[in-house]
């Protein structure tokens, strides 16, 4: 039986917020998820979607791509400028946000799903709707960019 | 065994994801997205009601003004396929359909291309079941060229006769994927073609077989299934002579990664001189000097080759031919700053090939699983292989 919209949200919002946190940081992740859900539920194709989980992951990634790329970099600057504990109740070093900000949204998605969920490239590809080769390429690029950051 | 870099990345990702907050409660998230929800006081409510009334009044006045001055544009005879277009014949059905051109909604205005002196807009239209609007205008330049423009979600394509002075460009259809606005998944592949003036019949072939033909001229539009195999569009004159042909692969247009998966025996190391016997140079020497002819000839000879083009801005036309450990990158069109980035799929070594040049470039390979991206000014990939994204629409 198909779940109601609220039930779908309750079921997937937690893991999607963790995924979005890897993409845009903790401050914007809940808003990204809310916006992505609203967009999905308004979509005419949603009632016919079979793989709802994968569809939602792609919708979140798409939502992130539509937002400004420098969100993480801006957040890192804000954290440096402010007393972190006065602004954020989560412990995240600005260096982490800055490092991730050098990656494209697709590269971040591949890195998060690979290193957090331990998914293989083929599984990441199924989740994000891209080929295994594309995932491998994003991972390779992401690793190369992060190596430069860590070596700097 | 994970190396130090893997450990550092994993540590960073864990720190980041573990900082994840709780999602918004379902009742607020599903109602309004991230819009803040605030209680409405009587005073603020009245203020909003007054402001809304003013906005409605202004919008109405503006609409009336715009309508008086701009709409209706001429839904001219050049938009020749209007209501009443016949249903597709059997055989074309599984792969796609002809799209009718309907009168424009009038909600979208043409965007005049830089450097094009705009003259009279002679025709507008809307492609059935899409958000795509079509415009035709005559330029006032000395060559009296005619421009065709298609505008829609993630689609803005313009070409002008006379301005580009190229039969290849003028007689090629715009071919692009339409994407789901929510997920960016491909919906279908659309071809919009202003066929040559002496066209009497338009044919659609899938594979090597003509499956459909209709008397047509002016602007024609087709939508193809995103999984459709190679398509040939052919324009024929009254003497049954072909006056324009175009072919493309909807699978590749809709799924750019498909062509990325070309597997080459080698790993990018350096730019190298191409040997005269390299098939890429032989094809060029034999006259395959546009990317479509090049692709067809390479296919006939079972060469390990792939060609691709992005028709938006920046535009590019590019073929890759692998032979004996050397990958030839053959650019036919490209703007300064457009580069092909050749990389291994599993590691880090890149070779950047500038495409603002006309001669082929060789890349030495020694390991398998090489992939190619088209990038603009080192920013995001602009072409998996076909997506004509402008930088502003891109993830940058």
């Amino acid at each position: 039986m198909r779940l109601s919209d609220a039930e779908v949200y309750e079921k997937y919002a937690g893991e999607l917020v963790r995924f979005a946190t890897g993409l845009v940081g903790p401050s914007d992740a809940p808003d990204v998820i809310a916006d992505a859900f609203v967009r999905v539920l308004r979509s005419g194709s949603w009632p016919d979607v079979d793989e709802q989980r994968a569809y939602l992951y792609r919708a979140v990634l798409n939502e992130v791509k539509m937002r400004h790329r420098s969100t993480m970099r801006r957040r890192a600057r804000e954290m440096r400028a402010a007393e972190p504990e006065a602004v954020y109740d989560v412990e995240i070093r600005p260096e982490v946000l800055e490092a991730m900000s050098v990656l494209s949204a697709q590269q971040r998605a591949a890195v998060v799903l690979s290193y957090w969920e331990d998914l293989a490239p083929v599984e990441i590809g199924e989740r994000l709707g891209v080929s295994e080769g594309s995932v491998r390429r994003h991972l390779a690029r992401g690793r190369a960019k992060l190596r430069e950051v860590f070596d700097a | 065994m994970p190396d130090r870099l893997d450990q550092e990345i994993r540590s960073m990702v864990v720190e980041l994801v573990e900082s994840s907050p709780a999602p918004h409660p379902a009742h607020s998230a599903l109602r309004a997205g991230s819009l803040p929800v605030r209680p409405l006081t009587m005073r603020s409510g009245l203020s909003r009601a007054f402001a809304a009334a003013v906005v409605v009044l202004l919008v109405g006045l503006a609409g009336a003004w715009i309508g008086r001055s701009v709409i209706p544009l001429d839904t001219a005879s050049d938009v020749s396929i209007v209501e009443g277009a016949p249903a597709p014949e059997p055989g074309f059905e599984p792969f796609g359909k002809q799209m009718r051109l309907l009168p424009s909604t009038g909600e979208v205005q043409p965007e005049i291309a830089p450097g094009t002196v705009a003259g009279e807009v002679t025709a507008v239209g809307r492609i059935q079941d899409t958000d795509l609007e079509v415009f035709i205008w005559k330029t006032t330049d000395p060559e009296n060229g005619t421009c065709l423009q298609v505008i829609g979600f993630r689609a803005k394509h313009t070409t002008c006769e006379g301005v580009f002075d190229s039969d290849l460009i003028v007689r090629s259809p715009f071919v692009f994927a339409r994407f789901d606005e929510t997920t960016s998944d491909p919906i279908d592949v659309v071809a919009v073609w202003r066929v040559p003036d002496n066209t009497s019949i338009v044919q659609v072939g899938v594979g090597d077989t003509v499956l459909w033909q209709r008397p047509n001229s002016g602007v024609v539009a087709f939508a193809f299934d995103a999984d459709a195999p190679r398509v040939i569009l052919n324009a024929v004159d009254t003497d049954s002579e072909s006056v324009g042909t175009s072919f493309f692969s909807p699978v590749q247009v809709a799924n750019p990664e498909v062509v990325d998966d070309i597997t080459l025996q080698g790993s990018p190391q350096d730019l190298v001189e191409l040997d005269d016997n390299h098939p890429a140079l032989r094809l060029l020497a034999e006259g395959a000097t546009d990317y479509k002819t090049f692709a067809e000839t390479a296919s006939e000879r079972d060469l390990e080759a792939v060609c691709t083009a992005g028709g938006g801005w920046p535009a590019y036309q590019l073929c890759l031919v692998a032979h004996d450990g050397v990958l030839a990158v053959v650019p036919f069109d490209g703007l300064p700053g457009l580069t092909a980035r050749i990389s291994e799929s599993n590691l880090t070594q890149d070779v950047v090939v500038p495409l603002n040049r006309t001669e082929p470039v060789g890349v030495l390979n020694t390991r398998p699983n090489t992939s190619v991206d088209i990038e603009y000014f080192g920013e995001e990939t602009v072409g998996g292989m076909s997506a004509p994204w402008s930088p502003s629409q891109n993830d940058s």
Side-chain angles (χ1 to χ4, degrees):
Chain A
M1 193 174 74
R2 199 171 176 88
L3 300 177
S4 70
D5 293 344
E7 288 171 330
V8 171
Y9 184 86
E10 294 289 355
K11 183 176 181 180
Y12 294 116
E15 67 176 275
L16 290 171
V17 165
R18 287 191 288 278
F19 176 56
T21 299
L23 303 182
V24 297
S27 300
D28 295 304
D31 288 350
V32 165
I33 299 307
D35 288 345
F37 260 91
V38 168
R39 201 180 296 274
V40 163
L41 298 180
R42 287 174 182 166
S43 162
S45 55
W46 173 244
D48 301 322
V49 171
D50 292 327
E51 297 292 335
Q52 291 184 328
R53 189 181 185 211
Y55 190 88
L56 288 167
Y57 269 83
R58 297 204 294 277
V60 169
L61 178 57
N62 196 47
E63 187 69 35
V64 169
K65 285 194 282 188
M66 286 191 290
R67 289 174 173 235
H68 202 272
R69 188 185 185 187
S70 62
T71 297
M72 275 190 159
R73 205 173 295 136
R74 177 166 48 80
R75 290 294 186 200
R77 280 201 305 272
E78 290 171 359
M79 290 180 74
R80 288 187 188 284
E83 287 294 325
E85 60 274 16
V87 180
Y88 298 95
D89 57 0
V90 292
E91 292 185 3
I92 180 78
R93 289 174 297 136
E95 292 84 358
V96 169
L97 296 180
E98 285 177 341
M100 289 295 276
S101 73
V102 306
L103 306 182
S104 71
Q106 296 96 324
Q107 290 165 353
R108 279 181 236 160
V111 165
V112 168
L113 293 176
S114 174
Y115 286 89
W116 171 256
E117 295 207 25
D118 284 326
L119 296 182
V122 65
E123 296 170 305
I124 296 172
E126 289 168 0
R127 186 80 63 89
L128 300 180
V130 297
S131 71
E132 180 185 0
S134 181
V135 172
R136 290 186 181 280
R137 196 171 59 254
H138 289 315
L139 282 172
R141 292 278 176 77
R143 282 171 49 88
K145 287 182 178 177
L146 290 172
R147 183 193 300 275
E148 290 177 12
V149 171
F150 294 147
D151 289 346
Chain B
M1 184 173 172
D3 63 14
R4 185 161 166 265
L5 177 62
D6 281 324
Q7 291 171 353
E8 285 183 299
I9 295 175
R10 187 177 300 279
S11 169
M12 182 187 68
V13 170
V14 167
E15 179 179 340
L16 183 58
V17 176
E18 287 189 341
S19 72
S20 172
H24 292 315
H27 61 85
S28 65
L30 298 184
R31 188 176 60 223
S34 62
L35 293 176
V37 180
R38 299 188 183 89
L40 196 64
T41 64
M42 176 66 81
R43 182 177 176 181
S44 63
L46 289 173
S47 300
R48 288 187 187 192
F50 177 74
V54 170
V55 168
V56 167
L57 180 62
L58 290 175
V59 168
L61 290 172
W65 170 255
I66 292 170
R68 184 192 65 78
S69 59
V70 178
I71 303 171
L73 289 170
D74 181 16
T75 52
S77 58
D78 202 0
V79 182
S80 57
I81 304 172
V82 288
E83 295 180 68
E89 290 181 345
F92 187 42
E93 189 81 48
F95 302 109
K97 60 182 178 181
Q98 183 177 14
M99 309 288 276
R100 295 177 182 176
L101 283 177
L102 306 175
S104 170
T105 62
E107 296 171 355
V108 179
Q109 294 299 306
E111 297 184 23
I112 308 302
T116 302
V117 181
E120 175 192 7
V121 176
T122 60
V124 297
R126 174 173 54 88
I127 298 178
Q128 173 191 19
D129 297 333
T130 73
D131 67 337
L132 298 170
E133 299 269 350
V134 179
F135 303 94
I136 295 174
W137 69 82
K138 287 196 179 298
T139 66
T140 53
D141 69 9
E143 298 182 13
N144 196 28
T146 300
C147 296
L148 170 67
Q149 185 171 72
V150 178
I151 296 180
F153 175 68
R154 287 192 187 172
K156 184 168 68 180
H157 307 277
T158 308
T159 187
C160 300
E161 290 176 346
V163 173
F164 292 114
D165 195 23
S166 163
D167 286 346
L168 175 69
I169 298 297
V170 171
R171 293 185 176 173
S172 295
F174 297 132
V175 179
F176 53 92
R178 290 195 306 129
F179 294 97
D180 184 310
E181 293 189 40
T182 306
T183 64
S184 292
D185 290 343
I187 299 171
D188 55 17
V189 172
V190 174
V192 183
W193 195 13
R194 184 169 182 270
V195 296
D197 290 341
N198 51 342
T199 298
S200 66
I201 290 175
V202 175
Q203 300 175 322
V204 177
V206 177
D208 294 324
T209 308
V210 174
L211 296 177
W212 181 97
Q213 63 178 20
R214 279 282 184 274
N216 275 139
S217 59
V219 176
V220 295
F222 300 96
F224 295 93
D225 189 282
D227 294 329
R230 192 174 83 145
V231 167
I232 298 175
L233 298 180
N234 193 30
V236 180
D237 66 13
T238 52
D239 297 326
S240 300
E241 293 291 325
S242 175
V243 292
T245 303
S246 180
F247 74 89
F248 54 90
S249 167
V251 171
Q252 293 185 354
V253 173
N255 304 282
E257 289 85 4
V258 172
V259 287
D260 280 359
D261 287 342
I262 179 173
T263 300
L264 307 168
Q265 292 303 311
S267 166
Q269 291 187 334
D270 289 305
L271 300 184
V272 295
E273 282 289 319
L274 284 172
D275 187 285
D276 287 343
N277 288 323
H278 195 287
L281 293 187
R282 290 210 305 271
L283 291 180
L284 287 172
E286 293 169 14
T289 52
D290 68 79
Y291 83 108
K292 293 182 179 180
T293 307
F294 194 99
E296 280 186 331
T297 311
S299 174
E300 289 167 359
R301 297 183 187 182
D302 290 330
L303 291 172
E304 192 174 14
V306 61
C307 291
T308 184
W313 190 91
Y316 56 88
Q317 296 171 357
L318 170 73
C319 291
L320 308 167
V321 183
H323 176 71
D324 204 17
V326 175
L327 171 68
V329 183
V330 188
F332 292 99
D333 189 18
L335 294 175
L338 200 64
T339 61
R341 180 178 288 266
I342 319 292
S343 65
E344 290 178 68
S345 63
N346 59 343
L347 264 184
T348 57
Q349 195 164 10
D350 290 347
V351 175
V352 176
V353 180
L355 295 184
N356 54 342
R357 52 188 293 169
T358 54
E359 70 271 30
V361 180
V363 181
L364 185 64
N365 296 272
T366 58
R367 281 187 292 230
N369 301 323
T370 301
S371 63
V372 178
D373 287 341
I374 312 298
E375 300 189 343
Y376 188 67
F377 284 121
E379 293 293 330
E380 280 300 302
T381 301
V382 294
M385 276 298 174
S386 61
W389 300 40
S390 69
S392 62
Q393 293 169 312
N394 202 5
D395 179 25
S396 61

